[in-house]
Amino acid sequence: MEKKARIIAFYLPQYHPIPENDEWWGKGFTEWTNVGKAKALFKGHYQPRVPADLGYYDLRVSETRKAQADMAREYGVEGFCYWHYWFGNGKRLIERPFNEVISSGEPDFPFCLAWANETWKGFDHGLKNRNVLIEQLYPGVEDYTAHFYEILPALKDKRYITVNGKPLFMIYKPLASEEIKVFMKTWRKLAVENNLPGIYFVGHHNDLRNNLKDIISTEVDAVNITRLNNYIINHRSIFEKIISKTKSVFFGNASAYAIKYSVMSKYFLVEEEDKIKNIYPSIIPGWDHTPRSGREGLVMTESTPELFENHVENAINIVIDKDPENRIIFIKSWNEWAEGNYMEPDLKWGKKFLEALKRQIYK
């Protein structure tokens, strides 16, 4: 049965210990540490989230990676977009799961890479300070060349996701530095020199951080838009009242705030933008950053499979008239458990979000 859209799911490879995480957060830390310690902060707050079918997995285990891929394939996901960390001067983090996918040839499931070119700060990852843990650097052409050759085996892998024959490579912060343009120019040249038809660069657009026209001006080939905060942007005065009201709910001076999924999801898609051939929207199953940030951050409440299915249907209807190659939708995300942002089964909903996705993809 033919799929109505190309569904690519962001994939977090954080679920295994590394020396840096041991140093920053304590021995044995993985993303499950934040997930496991999460607590409900108000009546009806869905925490903690407990994984069902796949359990508290370790991504060093090949059977786990295969089980994830088998599940994603069964429910209509075309492939995973692995978050990829290269901080400059050859420094990588949490690269082991993807490296093993490349070296082993398993699972036989499509993939692409999204360069998470962002400085890590303590607060964003669960610490109580905003200290820089590791800085994102842009050292120059020599480093960009080393970066290219580091992942060239992946780009040439038969499983790598392409658009018009070119390997799809996403840049999380395309406006982070003017050096991004140099980076892309370098990679495009190296791709041709290494018998690739080019690189299909996709710039990520997060509505609070950048401007769509500015991203397009960097000469990326396409833009992926995630409008998680679009409701807030369009209702700033209401948003300020919500924060004021919810502070007492969240015990004192906390700055977390709760908004219903049914309200926020209406703003995840913008038809006039998302219909453009090389603009790729995102579908979002939920959001809750409190496992990482404690009593600070956005909580999207009352997310259900039925509401998510309506969201998926709307996204597919927007992209359906594009040519099949560009009928791309990203899922944010496959397994961001500490953001309440995942498709994998949990004890509350099981596979119902996946079933909702499948019904609309093959409808």
Side-chain angles (χ1 to χ4, degrees):
M1 191 185 305
E2 186 177 350
K3 297 176 187 175
K4 297 178 74 174
R6 302 179 66 182
I7 306 295
I8 302 171
F10 290 114
Y11 180 104
L12 182 70
Q14 174 75 289
Y15 301 91
H16 66 99
I18 60 172
E20 290 85 356
N21 280 346
D22 287 349
E23 177 185 347
W24 295 328
W25 293 291
K27 187 72 174 175
F29 175 91
T30 73
E31 192 75 346
W32 294 126
T33 308
N34 286 329
V35 175
K37 68 180 175 60
K39 293 179 174 60
L41 300 177
F42 57 94
K43 186 176 180 180
H45 185 199
Y46 176 29
Q47 287 293 351
R49 311 287 184 103
V50 181
D53 301 46
L54 299 173
Y56 294 98
Y57 50 73
D58 185 325
L59 289 181
R60 296 172 296 185
V61 178
S62 61
E63 289 86 353
T64 289
R65 301 193 298 263
K66 183 178 186 305
Q68 289 175 312
D70 289 345
M71 182 179 291
R73 182 188 297 107
E74 180 182 353
Y75 289 94
V77 176
E78 176 177 324
F80 290 144
C81 186
Y82 290 85
W83 286 113
H84 163 71
Y85 304 86
W86 177 284
F87 293 93
N89 298 319
K91 180 62 178 176
R92 297 185 67 180
L93 285 181
I94 52 179
E95 72 278 13
R96 177 173 171 177
F98 184 72
N99 284 353
E100 292 184 358
V101 168
I102 297 301
S103 62
S104 69
E106 293 292 338
D108 186 10
F109 186 63
F111 57 77
C112 59
L113 291 172
W115 180 24
N117 59 320
E118 181 177 46
T119 293
W120 284 18
K121 296 182 179 180
F123 176 78
D124 296 327
H125 296 270
L127 297 180
K128 299 303 180 185
N129 61 65
R130 298 181 184 272
N131 296 344
V132 171
L133 301 176
I134 184 167
E135 186 177 1
Q136 179 66 56
L137 302 173
Y138 304 92
V141 171
E142 185 177 344
D143 182 72
Y144 311 151
T145 301
H147 188 178
F148 176 86
Y149 282 106
E150 180 81 4
I151 69 163
L152 181 58
L155 298 175
K156 287 194 166 187
D157 193 292
K158 64 180 178 62
R159 296 168 290 174
Y160 204 96
I161 294 170
T162 63
V163 178
N164 299 321
K166 298 179 180 181
L168 187 161
F169 187 86
M170 185 178 291
I171 301 175
Y172 179 58
K173 288 194 165 186
L175 299 174
S177 169
E178 281 296 312
E179 281 292 301
I180 300 294
K181 295 177 182 177
V182 181
F183 169 86
M184 290 193 293
K185 182 178 179 181
T186 302
W187 273 41
R188 284 178 169 133
K189 177 175 178 289
L190 290 169
V192 173
E193 290 176 1
N194 286 274
N195 301 313
L196 290 169
I199 302 289
Y200 192 84
F201 285 109
V202 178
H204 182 77
H205 175 23
N206 183 310
D207 40 75
L208 283 182
R209 293 190 176 95
N210 38 51
N211 178 281
L212 179 57
K213 290 182 180 178
D214 290 340
I215 293 174
I216 293 172
S217 74
T218 66
E219 299 185 3
V220 294
D221 298 284
V223 179
N224 160 238
I225 305 183
T226 299
R227 298 188 185 87
L228 179 65
N229 296 298
N230 204 26
Y231 169 78
I232 294 168
I233 290 171
N234 283 276
H235 297 82
R236 288 193 183 278
S237 59
I238 296 174
F239 166 64
E240 289 165 2
K241 292 177 183 178
I242 289 171
I243 286 189
S244 175
K245 183 178 179 181
T246 57
K247 279 184 178 179
S248 60
V249 176
F250 280 76
F251 310 107
N253 294 320
S255 58
Y257 48 98
I259 306 175
K260 290 183 179 180
Y261 182 92
S262 59
V263 173
M264 294 196 71
S265 60
K266 293 176 183 177
Y267 294 82
F268 290 164
L269 304 167
V270 175
E271 186 170 349
E272 57 267 32
E273 288 182 350
D274 295 336
K275 276 185 172 292
I276 298 171
K277 176 181 177 179
N278 63 339
I279 301 297
Y280 303 144
S282 299
I283 50 178
I284 306 170
W287 185 266
D288 182 350
H289 199 272
T290 61
R292 288 184 184 157
S293 56
R295 293 176 180 173
E296 297 190 35
L298 169 65
V299 180
M300 209 181 307
T301 62
E302 301 179 31
S303 171
T304 67
E306 292 76 18
L307 290 171
F308 176 67
E309 185 164 356
N310 290 338
H311 174 35
V312 175
E313 182 179 23
N314 291 337
I316 290 175
N317 287 340
I318 287 173
V319 305
I320 195 67
D321 292 331
K322 299 181 183 183
D323 64 88
E325 192 78 357
N326 292 96
R327 213 175 288 161
I328 294 173
I329 300 171
F330 285 89
I331 298 180
K332 182 175 171 61
S333 302
W334 177 257
N335 63 340
E336 288 271 12
W337 284 82
E339 293 180 348
N341 179 231
Y342 56 87
M343 295 296 295
E344 293 175 336
D346 64 15
L347 289 186
K348 180 176 182 179
W349 296 111
K351 295 180 179 176
K352 289 187 177 181
F353 277 83
L354 287 168
E355 291 164 355
L357 177 70
K358 185 175 183 177
R359 278 193 295 271
Q360 292 304 316
I361 294 173
Y362 292 108
K363 188 174 179 181

